[in-house]
């Protein structure tokens, strides 16, 4: 028994020492990762969508067409590609102006949350595009957002305005929803398209908070709030709110709503702003009738219209993940796959 006790004590000390070493190493690695991330937060990825859809089409033809017909077609395509490459090489030698090349369409994605967190990526993507933009090039931004914080979406909309300031034609495509802050972004565009059942509008301002004052008072709990400035805090969650505070808070909401309405009006002067700035939302065709949207069209249809005559590029800013994030994502993926396997097995009919 004495031996087992000493062995157990030794094992506990060893485990403690190993754990301390691992924690120390993890801390040092984390510091190193943070220092490197400050120098290199991420990178721009560019994908040629013409090539993507060309490969998809080729795979379909290879499956559905007779083998001989497919081979003949591939030979003709290769001849055409060689001819095109020779012509482009000849054009470069002649130093023809960029205006004689095919136009480019740059495609960006904005998937918005309540804080408009994707704005950081959007900033980097826009900066990258503006350094290479040419006369005649255009930009498509696919916006999906139900809105969120005013300052977050205000900054996102301001980033999109950089295209307008540079005289770059901007189209916003809404496949699902661009409401409130999402529409604040969309209205900046020269042209807005939306899917038939996309949710558009919600030009309004919302604020809500619970108040626990009566609950605290019932249990004889005091809450004291000290401020300098009459309206430093108009409403609180724990103190007793006053009619004067509510009135001031409501006025602040109205002022913010007025700024929102003015911003939309400046960007889409053809709108009857008082008729649409009620906080309501409308679906695709209704939004067209109200003037909130210019046409009914999905982002996929817009892309398909440009693939034949334009060079279409998808641009994404990708954050560099540290080892902790990679480990977490790997664990999450493994758990999700295991759960799906269990779910699929449970749903199989008995043999």
């Amino acid at each position: 028994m004495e031996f087992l006790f000493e062995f157990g004590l030794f094992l506990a000390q060893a485990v403690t020492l190993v754990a301390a070493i691992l924690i120390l190493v993890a801390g040092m690695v984390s510091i190193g990762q943070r220092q490197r991330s400050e120098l290199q937060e991420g990178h721009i990825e560019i994908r040629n969508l013409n090539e993507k859809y060309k490969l998809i089409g080729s795979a379909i033809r290879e499956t559905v067409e007779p083998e001989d017909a497919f081979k003949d077609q591939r030979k003709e395509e290769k001849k055409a590609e060689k001819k095109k490459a020779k012509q482009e090489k000849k054009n470069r030698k002649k130093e023809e102006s960029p205006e004689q090349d095919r136009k480019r369409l740059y495609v960006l994605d904005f998937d918005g949350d309540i804080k408009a967190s994707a704005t950081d990526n959007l900033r980097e993507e826009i900066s990258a595009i503006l350094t290479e933009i040419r006369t005649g090039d255009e930009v498509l931004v696919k916006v999906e957002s139900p809105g969120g914080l005013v300052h977050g979406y205000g900054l996102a909309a301001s980033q999109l305005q950089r295209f307008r300031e540079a005289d770059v034609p901007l189209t916003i495509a809404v496949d699902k929803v661009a409401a409130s802050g999402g529409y604040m972004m969309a209205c900046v565009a020269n042209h807005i398209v939306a899917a038939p059942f996309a949710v558009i509008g919600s030009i309004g301002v919302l604020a809500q908070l619970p108040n626990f004052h009566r609950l605290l008072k019932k249990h004889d709990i005091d809450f004291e709030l000290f401020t300098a400035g009459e309206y430093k805090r108009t409403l609180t969650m724990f103190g007793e709110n006053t009619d004067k505070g509510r009135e001031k808070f409501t006025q602040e909401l109205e002022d913010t709503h007025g700024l929102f309405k003015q911003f939309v009006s400046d960007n889409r002067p053809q709108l009857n702003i008082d008729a649409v700035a009620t906080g309501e939302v409308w679906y695709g065709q209704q939004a067209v009738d109200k003037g909130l949207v210019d046409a009914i069209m999905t982002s996929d249809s817009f892309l398909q219209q440009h693939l034949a005559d334009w060079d279409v590029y998808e641009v994404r800013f990708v954050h560099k993940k540290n080892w902790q994030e990679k480990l977490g994502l790997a664990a999450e993926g493994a758990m999700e796959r295991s759960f799906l396997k269990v779910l699929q097995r449970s749903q199989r009919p008995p043999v």
Side-chain angles (χ1 to χ4, degrees):
M1 291 295 295
E2 184 178 354
F3 169 77
L4 291 177
F5 174 79
E6 291 179 353
F7 179 78
L9 184 62
F10 168 79
L11 187 62
Q13 291 173 339
V15 169
T16 303
L17 179 62
V18 170
I21 293 173
L22 288 175
I23 292 171
L24 179 62
V25 171
M28 293 175 65
V29 172
S30 178
I31 292 172
Q33 289 284 353
R34 283 199 299 270
Q35 289 174 342
R36 284 194 292 273
S37 66
E38 289 174 1
L39 298 175
Q40 185 180 4
E41 295 179 350
H43 62 276
I44 290 288
E45 288 186 356
I46 301 176
R47 180 168 61 156
N48 187 317
L49 296 185
N50 303 79
E51 293 297 325
K52 171 190 171 182
Y53 288 105
K54 184 178 178 181
L55 290 172
I56 292 173
S58 179
I60 293 174
R61 289 196 303 272
E62 185 176 7
T63 302
V64 302
E65 292 183 0
E67 186 176 352
D68 293 339
F70 176 74
K71 287 182 178 179
D72 292 340
Q73 188 175 11
R74 283 297 299 150
K75 288 180 181 178
E76 293 298 322
E77 288 177 354
K78 287 181 179 179
K79 287 181 181 179
E81 289 173 0
K82 288 181 180 179
K83 185 177 180 180
K84 179 183 175 182
K86 287 181 179 179
Q87 186 62 43
E88 289 177 350
K89 186 176 181 181
K90 188 183 295 184
N91 290 344
R92 285 194 294 270
K93 287 182 179 180
K94 291 180 179 179
E95 296 182 349
E96 292 187 356
S97 63
E99 286 75 8
Q100 293 175 324
D101 294 337
R102 279 160 57 101
K103 294 180 180 179
R104 297 171 181 169
L105 175 67
Y106 295 98
V107 183
L108 308 179
D109 274 289
F110 186 93
D111 189 2
D113 57 17
I114 193 170
K115 297 189 294 183
S117 304
T119 304
D120 291 336
N121 289 7
L122 183 67
R123 173 194 287 120
E124 300 291 346
E125 292 158 0
I126 292 174
S127 296
I129 291 172
L130 288 177
T131 60
E132 297 297 327
I133 206 76
R134 306 176 309 183
T135 302
D137 292 347
E138 296 187 13
V139 175
L140 169 69
V141 180
K142 296 186 284 184
V143 173
E144 300 297 340
S145 174
L149 298 177
V150 174
H151 58 276
Y153 279 92
L155 178 59
S158 298
Q159 292 295 331
L160 292 178
Q161 282 184 312
R162 294 168 62 191
F163 286 128
R164 297 292 298 270
E165 293 166 359
D167 293 325
V168 178
L170 171 64
T171 298
I172 297 290
V174 184
D175 289 326
K176 294 180 182 178
V177 57
S180 194
Y183 189 75
M184 181 185 290
M185 293 179 65
C187 74
V188 174
N190 303 88
H191 192 65
I192 306 175
V193 299
F197 287 95
V199 177
I200 308 292
S202 189
I203 303 175
V205 183
L206 168 69
Q208 55 186 351
L209 73 162
N211 183 265
F212 300 96
H213 173 69
R214 284 185 292 179
L215 178 64
L216 297 178
K217 187 176 181 180
K218 180 180 178 181
H219 293 278
D220 296 324
I221 299 173
D222 293 328
F223 174 79
E224 296 182 359
L225 177 68
F226 301 93
T227 63
E230 183 178 3
Y231 296 114
K232 178 61 179 178
R233 182 70 69 235
T234 52
L235 298 181
T236 76
M237 292 178 59
F238 302 103
E240 183 177 5
N241 291 320
T242 64
D243 290 338
K244 185 177 181 181
R246 295 187 186 95
E247 182 180 350
K248 177 61 177 175
F249 191 79
T250 302
Q251 183 59 51
E252 290 172 349
L253 290 184
E254 291 292 343
D255 292 343
T256 305
H257 189 212
L259 292 172
F260 191 176
K261 290 167 61 177
Q262 187 62 53
F263 184 82
V264 175
S265 294
D266 291 343
N267 285 281
R268 290 185 73 83
Q270 70 272 29
L271 271 178
N272 180 352
I273 191 62
D274 291 327
V276 297
T278 58
E280 298 173 82
V281 297
W282 293 273
Y283 292 106
Q285 187 57 55
Q286 296 172 319
V288 172
D289 296 338
K290 293 286 185 180
L292 293 162
V293 170
D294 298 303
I296 295 297
M297 182 184 297
T298 64
S299 61
D300 304 286
S301 297
F302 187 89
L303 288 175
Q304 289 289 337
Q305 290 182 356
H306 288 76
L307 287 173
D309 302 316
W310 293 58
D311 288 327
V312 183
Y313 298 98
E314 181 183 66
V315 180
R316 293 194 311 148
F317 181 79
V318 180
H319 282 278
K320 187 175 181 180
K321 293 182 176 62
N322 56 37
W323 68 272
Q324 296 99 325
E325 292 172 324
K326 290 178 181 178
L327 183 62
L329 289 173
E332 181 182 356
M335 291 179 63
E336 183 177 351
R337 287 192 296 271
S338 300
F339 174 76
L340 288 174
K341 285 181 180 179
V342 173
L343 184 63
Q344 288 170 354
R345 288 172 182 171
S346 66
Q347 292 178 342
R348 288 178 184 171
V351 178

